[in-house]
Amino acid sequence: QIELAESGGGSVEAGGSLRLSCSTSESIDSSICVGWFRQAPGKVREGVAGLYTGTGTIYYDDTVKGRFTLSQDATKNTLYLQMNSLKPEDTGTYYCATDLGPRNGESVDPDWSLCADFLRWGRGTQVTVSP
């Protein structure tokens, strides 16, 4: 079963940047879709950016378009999320996820047309953006 591990979170001021990394135990191509999600306290988990591995199609939530960039390394075992021009509303726990089972948490459908529910999650990394 695939394991995911996020890193790179931290505390920054508004306008700053962070790069999150997700290390995977299997090739990213073993998933149909992989993605980044975030969850703020008291709010539902939401999709931030996702990759359909078949065609390389990338999805972004409207709130992060033009500021966040999803990429992967050449070995296809690490997924990145470059976050620029950070805003306080970007604060939350960021999770890396895959549609590969078995499920280890809630099932989330980010409404990306080529992707189904995301089932398997890393433990998350905290991002805090101060005004």
Side-chain angles (χ1 to χ4, degrees):
Q1 58 192 26
I2 189 170
E3 300 297 340
L4 310 166
E6 305 92 339
S7 61
S11 297
V12 298
E13 294 185 348
S17 297
L18 286 171
R19 188 174 84 153
L20 305 183
S21 298
C22 172
S23 177
T24 64
S25 61
E26 298 178 14
S27 171
I28 289 171
D29 285 348
S30 66
S31 301
I32 296 174
C33 287
V34 292
W36 288 98
F37 293 70
R38 67 185 176 195
Q39 188 166 21
K43 295 191 175 182
V44 298
R45 193 169 296 187
E46 61 179 3
V48 174
L51 168 69
Y52 174 70
T53 62
T55 59
T57 301
I58 297 177
Y59 299 91
Y60 294 103
D61 185 78
D62 286 344
T63 61
V64 306
K65 281 180 182 176
R67 300 188 298 123
F68 290 11
T69 302
L70 183 151
S71 63
Q72 58 181 318
D73 73 346
T75 66
K76 297 191 176 182
N77 282 99
T78 305
L79 191 70
Y80 300 104
L81 185 67
Q82 177 67 43
M83 305 188 296
N84 299 328
S85 303
L86 282 161
K87 304 176 180 180
E89 51 264 43
D90 295 319
T91 294
T93 302
Y94 283 68
Y95 298 90
C96 180
T98 172
D99 55 1
L100 277 181
R103 182 193 305 188
N104 67 348
E106 63 179 309
S107 175
V108 177
D109 178 5
D111 199 27
W112 298 327
S113 60
L114 294 175
C115 299
D117 290 3
F118 283 73
L119 306 174
R120 193 157 183 86
W121 307 85
R123 294 189 174 186
T125 186
Q126 179 66 35
V127 171
T128 303
V129 185
S130 57

